[in-house]
Amino acid sequence: MFHPTYLLFMFFTWTNAQYEWQPKDAVDEIRLKLDKINSDNCGFQPLSEIYLPEDTVSHIPDIKDVVINPVFPNRTALLHLSNMALNRGFFFSYISQARFIRPAINDTYDPGMMYYFLSTVADVSANSHINASAIYFAPNMSYSPSYRGFFNKTFPYFAPRTFRADDFNDPIHLEKMSTLNTFTVRDLGAFSNESLTKDYTSKHYGTNEWYSKWLPDNVVGRHDTKTTYQVEIRYANNTNETHTFHGPPGADDIPGPIKWTRPYFDCGRSNKWLVAAVVPIADIYPRHTGFRHIEYPTYTAVSVIEMDFERIDINQCPVSAGNSGPNRFADTAKCKEETTLCEPLDGWGFRRGGYQCRCLPGYRLGNTVRRPFLGEIIERATLEQYYSGVFDCKRIGWLQSKIVFPSQMEPYLREQYLEKNSEYKNFTPGLGSVKDSHINIHEVINSIRGVNPNNCNDYRKEDLQLLGDYGFGAHQQFANEAKMAVRLANFISAFLQISDPKEVYSGTRVADKHLSEDEMIGEALSIVMADFKIWSAGIFWDINKFPNRTLFAPYAYKTVNYGRKVFVEDLARLNKSDEVYTNKEWFTFTKQRWSTNFDSLEKFYVKLKLRYTEEGGHLNKFEYYPTFYRAANLDHGYWSAPYYDCNGPAKDWFIRYAVPFFGWDSLKVKLEFKGAITVTMPLLNLDINQCPHKFYEPNAFKGTHKCDQRSSYCVPIQGRGYDTGGYKCECIQGYEFPFEEEDFTYFDGQMMEDEFMHMLHNNKTRYDTFKCRIAGAALPLSNVFYVMVLVLCSLLMWAK
């Protein structure tokens, strides 16, 4: 039975929460707001009802901090959202100003309308977490080559936008199941002048907070304060060129390049609750005046990438060190604060229970409990279960202090540990240690980190190529970086399959031209500039697949993170048989894999409506409606084994991801392989996992932790990089943490590795003391009681 006060608590607390005994909190408040608005009533709701408070999205990744501190696993989707917006901001800023590299002609070098439309399609198709992508231009700021006689003229409004459609009842899918691969594409700049509610720059539009974040660009004073970036380009004929362009603010600027909107209901469009990352696009305005002194850099458009609010994890744990606010949902977890603390979990989205309750220092789990209490279980508990002590930790009695002064380990005991870790007695020194059947992890890590640009030429080529299991975890930890390559592969595939330069349209509309060198260079460098984990990116076209070029491979790389300078080389200039990229293993493997069979490629449907005339007026269906294209997804890419690039521009250990793109053959009868996109990430940014795994998982470091396996188990820790100690040793069921600690209930992996190495070198160590002990009585008082009983029993027996 539970205490009578809890009956009074239940009686006086009337709520609309998950269960009647639970008081109403912020989760219920926001849930009611979400359920209140729908596509039928959003049009006549006050603006305050279609926006959520800013603090409903907490722990937004800060571009100034992501290089220093690890990003929470439940915020990697938001980080990719901001990186994608930054990518598009850099690209369209660069390509808008790339005309200054080229000769002045009576034409514009800008991308055509289809380039914009299919670019937004690729943003959404490459990542299931992204719901919408758009480019919104300020009035009369968009130049276009898509209409005859339109040189040096601007669209009144131009806003290509793509959002993911629910195709469950779509006639083109007779299976009656959602594919997430159908996209609705609209030019939101095509509307009647009489309709103010469709003017996305007007306050009557309602949900245009993303527009007002950067536009209109009303700069007070000088306009030449836009951040400038420098690109050094080396072409295939070995000529060099340096191009400086204005772009979004830098990561070190105040404010930074990314602004976030409040969650809002996308009324009349996708009819979902969305959150958007917004990045400005810069250009030189006005154009082609002949008087450069009156042309000035300004923000002409914004790139807006949006995702579903309900897919963003909420954090119900209290505000604490490392878990700062503002956070509307803070302290709504149901952990027992007297004995447990809250720890958020990832992958739960907007729903309760995305946390676990871990024991406080000085407490332990009951003997029948194996792991921390799951929030989902606690949230579903009844009043009697919650207050009966089921979710409480037990107090530990007789805590001891940690040994401050280590001592020499007994020889026989040290020998026992060395027998268990025989790889420290017999191992191959240097990089040869990576081939040992049981690796000495310290020798392996030190050898890998010991390779540098000064000595890499002293190693054999095969020594600088690690086995694939040394890159274990890259698929998950570098997934966002791989999606950058998938996005570009999706875009090129869509452009090659949907846009036909030879197409003739009625009226004055002109088909988009072939992809240009400047556009490919801009796409490669924007990937490198937008993501701090990507060190280089390349677009490698197969032989005679790029117009008027035998080989073409723009390759962009950087030397520092978030710097203002990027380098681009056309690797087609390398024509030796051992240097040409078409002979590289990753390229030949990808080409052979996709030489004949394309059945497993994703099929994406595009429902495109574009402006009827250059002035806008209204929307008209694209001539092919709906149309489709086929492209690779994330699983179709090729992950290389870790390798040291000793001859490349950036000399370091890397992991490469390559994904193919496709287009029609010359007869437009079947698809063919056109080339591949690659991105490379530094190996040393990868978190290794020393904890045990299943036998079939290809992890070179599994089972190399130094936890006491009898009393504890290994749990990985994020953010330690390619080094030992990225784990913690938690006590297993029936054992307890024996030391007095204010913050920890586990043994840190870095401390375990250090003490083990002290033991290995026969120095003073505390390694043998870092073990969990068998869980004893909960309180010292109970121990005294048992001692007294034993004494009395002994006296009675002695008296007899």
Side-chain angles (χ1 to χ4, degrees), residues 342-353:
C342 180
E343 186 177 273
L345 302 175
D346 60 287
W348 290 78
F350 185 80
R351 59 189 178 105
R352 293 179 177 275

Side-chain angles (χ1 to χ4, degrees), residues 290-301:
F291 304 97
R292 291 298 304 274
H293 64 282
I294 66 172
E295 298 176 359
Y296 59 90
T298 185
Y299 293 144
T300 59

Side-chain angles (χ1 to χ4, degrees), residues 44 48 151 204 216 235 254 295 297 321 375 398 404 482 486 627 636 687 716 782:
F44 48 84
S48 59
F151 172 70
H204 300 287
Y235 295 100
I254 300 176
E295 298 176 359
W398 303 107
V404 178
V486 174
T627 187
H636 293 147
D687 291 333
S782 61

Side-chain angles (χ1 to χ4, degrees), residues 74-337:
N74 58 3
R75 286 299 178 266
T76 52
L78 283 178
L79 177 62
H80 184 62
L81 195 75
S82 62
N83 288 345
M84 281 298 305
L86 199 57
N87 179 315
R88 296 294 83 200
F90 277 122
F91 171 76
F92 286 111
S93 297
Y94 172 83
I95 202 63
S96 298
Q97 301 165 58
R99 66 186 185 279
F100 294 116
I101 308 177
R102 303 291 165 233
I105 57 173
N106 248 358
D107 197 358
T108 177
Y109 291 101
D110 290 276
M113 285 197 303
M114 288 299 292
Y115 197 106
Y116 282 95
F117 288 127
L118 297 179
S119 173
T120 59
V121 169
D123 297 342
V124 182
S125 66
N127 191 339
S128 60
H129 287 86
I130 294 178
N131 278 63
S133 172
I135 306 293
Y136 296 93
F137 278 91
N140 296 307
M141 290 285 191
S142 172
Y143 295 84
S144 177
S146 295
Y147 290 91
R148 281 191 289 271
F150 208 66
F151 172 70
N152 208 20
K153 294 182 180 179
T154 58
F155 290 142
Y157 296 90
F158 184 49
R161 183 176 190 263
T162 296
F163 65 86
R164 194 184 305 276
D166 182 2
D167 55 3
F168 180 80
N169 289 316
D170 200 299
I172 62 177
H173 296 300
L174 301 178
E175 308 89 22
K176 293 297 181 183
M177 58 185 296
S178 295
T179 67
L180 299 179
N181 287 347
T182 300
F183 310 107
T184 302
V185 189
R186 300 285 184 270
D187 180 359
L188 300 183
F191 57 87
S192 173
N193 292 331
E194 289 78 27
S195 180
L196 287 177
T197 57
K198 292 186 178 181
D199 180 358
Y200 57 82
T201 68
S202 168
K203 63 180 181 180
H204 300 287
Y205 194 76
T207 58
N208 64 345
E209 189 177 51
W210 27 259
Y211 182 85
S212 58
K213 290 291 183 181
W214 295 102
L215 299 175
D217 186 20
N218 297 321
V219 178
V220 178
R222 295 170 61 92
H223 276 271
D224 58 354
T225 55
K226 297 294 181 290
T227 307
T228 57
Y229 300 88
Q230 192 176 81
V231 183
E232 286 192 7
I233 307 173
R234 187 177 186 181
Y235 295 100
N237 59 4
N238 284 318
T239 60
N240 299 319
E241 191 164 38
T242 300
H243 176 47
T244 301
F245 71 98
H246 300 271
D252 54 345
D253 290 333
I254 300 176
I258 304 161
K259 292 184 179 180
W260 296 84
T261 66
R262 292 177 293 170
Y264 70 97
F265 191 81
D266 192 31
C267 184
R269 306 198 300 180
S270 61
N271 293 316
K272 290 179 176 290
W273 286 94
L274 301 177
V275 176
V278 188
V279 172
I281 297 171
D283 194 6
I284 305 296
Y285 186 86
R287 291 190 180 187
H288 310 292
T289 63
F291 304 97
R292 291 298 304 274
H293 64 282
I294 66 172
E295 298 176 359
Y296 59 90
T298 185
Y299 293 144
T300 59
V302 288
S303 170
V304 182
I305 310 290
E306 299 159 294
M307 74 175 293
D308 193 338
F309 168 73
E310 296 196 48
R311 299 192 68 172
I312 301 175
D313 293 340
I314 60 174
N315 190 338
Q316 294 184 249
C317 297
V319 173
S320 59
N323 183 25
S324 58
N327 178 11
R328 179 165 290 262
F329 307 108
D331 209 14
T332 59
K334 300 298 188 296
C335 294
K336 296 298 199 66
E337 296 182 359

Side-chain angles (χ1 to χ4, degrees), residues 577-623:
S577 59
D578 60 335
E579 293 180 342
V580 65
Y581 64 84
T582 54
N583 292 335
K584 298 295 184 182
E585 178 187 1
W586 59 267
F587 190 89
T588 57
F589 175 87
T590 306
K591 182 177 180 179
Q592 291 170 5
R593 165 69 179 84
W594 299 101
S595 59
T596 55
N597 191 348
F598 308 102
D599 292 343
S600 62
L601 293 177
E602 293 276 357
K603 190 174 184 179
F604 299 100
Y605 291 89
V606 179
K607 295 184 174 181
L608 170 61
K609 290 186 178 180
L610 64 167
R611 59 185 58 223
Y612 183 66
T613 63
E614 52 263 50
E615 288 80 18
H618 64 275
L619 290 172
N620 192 39
K621 287 183 178 179
F622 181 56
E623 280 71 7

